[in-house]
């Protein structure tokens, strides 16, 4: 490995060419050399490889062993299958996955030089990532590889944390509530106003203020709304409106969330 500005410059191959690989490869290049990008869809691999001066491949037999790191950035359910296919030819190479919910053991039972490189962020092609504000969580089987991953993460952000698999999985589950479920609620809100031709952007200040308050205060203390107040008249009115629009699926969501809020705030749980 060659050194630059006190950090380690690494030769990296990506397994996967989706959103996580796209953003990671772009931010790591050119400070680190992206050697290859693998995808079963060669056209997809080519699109990413062309952005980071790498070689696109679609066959594991084409993997170069003259690298320092393989980053597996694919769906969680495919990680175990992939490590089985690539471990034998890359025994001296550090191999990591980027999953928040997958244990390090999924790799380590097959490959001695294993680790995790998990950026806690929501990724889309349409938006750039502020890496300086993005925490990255690293884990590895041995201390030397942990130091390498810590250095790599440190080239992106100062928010680098050495968390265990259990800690990371708990954090990932919390992220589903904070990000995926909340975004689904935004989707529901837009569906509701769209049906009445109401401008969804009218809710933007409310969404932003709610998120801002949750980041600087205890979210429990910031809770408002009819369920928190125990206002059954408003709750029943909303139920009737949803049923009138034949949205029984949303009635169930509304009921579940309202009951959760009431249990938390009115029953002290």
């Amino acid at each position: 490995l060659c050194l630059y500005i006190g950090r380690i410059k690494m030769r990296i191959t990506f397994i996967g060419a989706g959103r996580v690989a796209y953003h990671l490869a772009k931010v790591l290049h050119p400070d680190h050399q992206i050697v290859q990008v693998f995808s079963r869809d060669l056209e997809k691999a080519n699109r990413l490889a062309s952005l980071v001066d790498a070689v696109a491949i679609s066959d594991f037999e084409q993997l170069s062993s003259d690298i320092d790191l393989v980053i597996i950035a694919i769906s969680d359910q495919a990680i175990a299958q992939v490590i089985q296919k690539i471990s034998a030819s890359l025994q001296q190479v550090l191999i990591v996955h980027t999953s928040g919910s997958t244990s390090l053991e999924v790799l380590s039972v097959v490959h001695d030089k294993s680790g995790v490189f998990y950026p806690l962020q929501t990724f889309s092609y349409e938006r750039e990532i502020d890496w300086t504000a993005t925490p990255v969580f690293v884990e590895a089987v041995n201390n030397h590889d942990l130091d390498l991953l810590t250095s790599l993460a440190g080239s992106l952000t100062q928010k680098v944390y050495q968390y265990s698999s259990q800690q990371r999985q708990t954090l990932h589950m919390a992220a589903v509530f904070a990000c995926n479920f909340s975004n689904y609620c935004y989707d529901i809100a837009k569906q509701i106003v769209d049906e009445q031709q109401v401008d969804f952007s009218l809710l933007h200040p409310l969404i932003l203020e709610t998120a801002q308050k949750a980041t600087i205060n205890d979210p429990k203390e910031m809770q408002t709304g009819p369920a928190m107040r125990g206002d059954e008249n408003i709750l029943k009115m909303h139920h009737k409106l949803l049923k009138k629009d034949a949205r029984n699926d949303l009635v169930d969501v509304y009921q579940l969330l309202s009951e959760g809020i009431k249990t938390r705030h009115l029953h002290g749980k």
Side-chain angles (χ1 to χ4, degrees):
L1 302 181
C2 57
L3 300 180
Y4 76 101
I5 319 177
R7 292 194 177 117
I8 297 173
K9 182 167 185 176
M10 303 186 75
R11 299 183 298 275
I12 303 170
T13 286
F14 277 86
I15 306 294
R19 289 173 294 180
V20 176
Y22 170 82
H23 284 283
L24 264 180
K26 283 209 317 175
V27 73
L28 290 172
H29 173 77
D31 289 338
H32 302 276
Q33 181 186 354
I34 312 303
V35 178
Q36 294 176 313
V37 175
F38 168 91
S39 175
R40 290 173 297 180
D41 182 342
L42 186 58
E43 182 179 346
K44 194 172 183 180
N46 267 312
R47 284 198 295 268
L48 178 53
S50 65
L51 295 176
V52 293
D53 300 325
V55 175
I57 61 173
S58 59
D59 190 328
F60 286 130
E61 292 184 0
Q62 297 174 285
L63 282 171
S64 170
S65 60
D66 186 23
I67 52 177
D68 305 306
L69 176 66
V70 171
I71 298 178
I72 300 175
I74 57 177
S75 62
D76 292 3
Q77 60 266 32
I79 293 174
Q81 182 180 9
V82 166
I83 190 63
Q84 291 281 355
K85 291 182 177 180
I86 69 175
S87 177
S89 61
L90 300 170
Q91 291 184 2
Q92 303 306 313
V93 177
L94 174 58
I95 301 177
V96 304
H97 68 64
T98 60
S99 168
S101 59
T102 303
S103 171
L104 171 61
E105 188 178 5
V106 171
L107 299 182
S108 65
V109 294
V110 178
H111 193 77
D112 290 337
K113 291 177 63 63
S114 298
V116 177
F117 192 89
Y118 169 54
L120 179 57
Q121 188 54 272
T122 176
F123 294 94
S124 60
Y125 293 114
E126 297 80 11
R127 292 181 61 84
E128 293 299 321
I129 298 298
D130 180 2
W131 284 98
T132 62
T134 299
V136 176
F137 300 86
V138 296
E139 186 180 7
V141 171
N142 65 68
N143 290 332
H144 174 70
D145 290 337
L146 184 61
D147 289 342
L148 288 178
L149 294 178
T150 301
S151 177
L152 180 65
S155 70
L156 308 182
T157 176
Q158 294 184 352
K159 298 182 177 182
V160 182
Y161 303 89
Q162 297 178 0
Y163 270 25
S164 68
S165 289
Q166 184 176 2
Q167 289 174 310
R168 191 181 67 258
Q169 289 168 340
T170 300
L171 185 64
H172 182 266
M173 180 172 62
V176 168
F177 278 92
C179 175
N180 306 131
F181 289 170
S182 63
N183 189 73
Y184 177 58
C185 287
Y186 301 150
D187 179 24
I188 291 174
K190 190 173 188 302
Q191 292 176 53
I192 290 171
V193 296
D194 283 352
E195 288 179 359
Q196 296 297 324
Q197 298 181 324
V198 174
D199 186 358
F200 177 68
S201 69
L202 294 172
L203 292 172
H204 289 181
L206 180 66
I207 292 171
L208 295 174
E209 177 65 13
T210 301
Q212 181 67 20
K213 287 196 298 185
T215 63
I216 58 178
N217 299 281
D218 184 338
K220 180 184 178 184
E221 302 304 320
M222 297 298 103
Q223 187 69 55
T224 60
M228 191 275 291
R229 299 190 302 270
D231 192 334
E232 294 297 331
N233 290 331
I234 296 296
L235 295 175
K236 289 177 182 178
M237 181 187 73
H238 289 170
H239 280 202
K240 289 181 180 179
L241 287 172
L242 290 172
K243 287 182 178 179
K244 180 181 177 182
D245 293 335
R247 294 304 304 266
N248 290 328
D249 57 329
L250 299 189
V251 171
D252 292 339
V253 173
Y254 189 99
Q255 181 68 25
L256 181 64
L257 294 178
S258 295
E259 288 301 322
I261 292 171
K262 285 193 288 185
T263 297
R264 177 75 163 151
H265 290 272
L266 302 181
H267 308 303
K269 295 184 180 179

